[in-house]
């Protein structure tokens, strides 16, 4: 019994010791409590933050390529203009996190809870947001070309003027989302819920999987372009009460 206790004590001491390591590439801070960090412009590429606490921290402008932030708490944490290429945010919790202008190419946000977060102007081509919760988030002007957003919660998300070519929105909830002026070439919307989705001026001619039933409950205008075979609903444009 004494030997077992000694082993557990040694393991605990080792875990605590690693949390005191200085920031740098490939540092292992998994499971560490690191709230309110100020690490602007640092090189943290490949760092392991899995299941750590990083709330209210600032990583603005840092290099965080291939960092592991899976199951990490990042609510109200700032990543503006950070390079998070291929970073892993699987099942992360990040309410009101700020990724404005960040590089998120091929980053993985699958099953993450990122409600009310800021992704404006982010470079997120081929990123994975499958089953992510992103309600009321801002993707205005973001580059999401080739991204996966299947089965994602996207209610009231702002996609105005975003690049959405090739994005897969299959079976996602886009109710009341704002897609005015978005680039939707070859995007997929099979099974997407488009209740009061704002499509004014959007070009949907090459969107895949779009049905008349989806169009009928969405909100477009005279400038909205539909795929061949679909008709403009008599309810367009929606009244101001429905917006």
């Amino acid at each position: 019994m004494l030997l077992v206790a000694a082993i557990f004590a040694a393991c605990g001491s080792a875990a605590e010791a690693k949390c005191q390591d200085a920031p740098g590439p490939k540092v292992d801070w998994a499971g560490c409590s690191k709230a309110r960090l100020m690490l602007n412009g640092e090189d943290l590429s490949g760092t392991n933050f899995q299941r750590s606490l990083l709330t209210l921290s600032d990583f603005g402008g840092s290099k965080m390529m291939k960092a592991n932030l899976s199951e990490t708490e990042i609510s109200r944490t700032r990543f503006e203009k950070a390079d998070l290429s291929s970073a892993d945010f699987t099942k992360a919790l990040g309410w009101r996190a700020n990724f404005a202008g960040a590089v998120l190419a091929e980053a993985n946000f699958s099953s993450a809870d990122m409600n009310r977060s800021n992704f404006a102007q982010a470079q997120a081509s081929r990123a994975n947001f499958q089953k992510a919760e992103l309600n009321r988030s801002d993707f205005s002007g973001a580059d999401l070309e080739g991204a996966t957003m299947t089965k994602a919660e996207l209610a009231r998300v702002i996609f105005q003027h975003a690049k959405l070519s090739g994005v897969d929105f299959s079976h996602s909830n886009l109710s009341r989302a704002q897609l005015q002026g978005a680039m939707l070439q070859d995007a997929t919307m099979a099974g997407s819920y488009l209740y009061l989705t704002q499509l004014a001026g959007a070009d949907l001619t090459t969107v895949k999987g779009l049905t008349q039933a989806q169009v009928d409950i969405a909100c477009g205008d005279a400038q909205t372009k539909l795929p061949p075979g679909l008709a403009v609903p008599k309810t367009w444009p929606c009244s101001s009460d429905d917006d």
Side-chain angles (χ1 to χ4, degrees), residues 109-110 119 124 127-132 134 139 144 147-150 152:
F109 286 87
S110 60
F119 293 88
N128 181 8
F129 293 93
Q130 185 177 28
K131 295 183 179 180
L134 296 157
F139 283 89
L144 290 160
T148 300
M149 290 192 157
T150 55

Side-chain angles (χ1 to χ4, degrees), residues 182-202:
M183 302 176 189
L184 289 155
Q185 290 84 353
D186 298 315
T188 300
M189 290 187 171
S192 296
Y193 185 52
L194 302 182
Y195 177 69
L196 299 183
T197 303
Q198 302 299 309
L199 301 171

Side-chain angles (χ1 to χ4, degrees), residues 183-241:
M183 302 176 189
L184 289 155
Q185 290 84 353
D186 298 315
T188 300
M189 290 187 171
S192 296
Y193 185 52
L194 302 182
Y195 177 69
L196 299 183
T197 303
Q198 302 299 309
L199 301 171
D203 187 346
L204 307 170
T205 52
T206 61
V207 170
K208 304 171 185 177
L210 195 62
T211 66
Q212 188 66 51
Q214 288 170 296
V215 170
D216 288 344
I217 62 173
C219 291
D221 63 5
Q223 284 70 49
T224 304
K225 298 180 180 179
L226 296 174
L230 299 185
V232 174
K234 294 180 179 179
T235 54
W236 285 13
C238 297
S239 68
S240 57
D241 291 340

Side-chain angles (χ1 to χ4, degrees), residues 12-219:
S13 298
E16 291 175 7
K18 73 170 186 176
C19 293
Q20 302 304 316
D21 289 346
K26 297 184 179 180
V27 166
D28 184 4
W29 280 351
C32 297
S33 179
K34 291 286 185 178
R36 301 179 186 275
L37 288 175
M38 295 292 115
L39 292 174
N40 307 76
E42 296 281 346
D43 185 355
L44 302 168
S45 52
T47 294
N48 183 12
F49 295 106
Q50 186 178 32
R51 296 182 181 176
S52 60
L53 178 67
L54 299 176
T55 53
L56 297 165
S57 294
D58 190 348
F59 296 96
S62 291
K63 296 179 181 179
M64 303 179 72
M65 299 82 75
K66 296 184 178 181
N68 182 1
L69 295 111
S70 59
E71 301 181 73
T72 297
E73 166 69 72
I74 54 172
S75 293
R76 297 182 183 274
T77 295
R78 301 176 63 181
F79 296 95
E80 292 105 317
K81 298 184 179 179
D83 189 345
L84 291 152
S85 305
S86 300
D88 186 0
F89 289 91
T90 303
K91 295 183 179 180
L93 176 60
W95 280 45
R96 297 185 185 275
N98 194 339
F99 295 92
V103 178
L104 297 167
E106 299 185 357
N108 187 0
F109 286 87
S110 60
S111 299
D113 185 347
M114 308 298 294
N115 289 315
R116 297 178 181 270
S117 292
N118 184 4
F119 293 88
Q121 305 295 325
Q123 305 299 309
S125 58
R126 302 179 303 283
N128 181 8
F129 293 93
Q130 185 177 28
K131 295 183 179 180
E133 294 194 23
L134 296 157
N135 298 316
R136 296 179 182 271
S137 292
D138 184 359
F139 283 89
S140 57
D143 182 355
L144 290 160
E145 292 190 25
T148 300
M149 290 192 157
T150 55
K151 298 182 180 180
E153 290 295 328
L154 305 169
R156 297 182 184 272
V157 169
I158 300 171
F159 288 109
Q160 288 177 313
H161 305 294
K163 296 179 181 178
L164 303 173
S165 301
V167 174
D168 190 350
F169 289 109
S170 297
H171 304 287
S172 61
N173 176 16
L174 282 160
S175 60
R176 297 181 184 271
Q178 298 184 33
L179 290 155
Q180 301 97 319
M183 302 176 189
L184 289 155
Q185 290 84 353
D186 298 315
T188 300
M189 290 187 171
S192 296
Y193 185 52
L194 302 182
Y195 177 69
L196 299 183
T197 303
Q198 302 299 309
L199 301 171
D203 187 346
L204 307 170
T205 52
T206 61
V207 170
K208 304 171 185 177
L210 195 62
T211 66
Q212 188 66 51
Q214 288 170 296
V215 170
D216 288 344
I217 62 173
C219 291

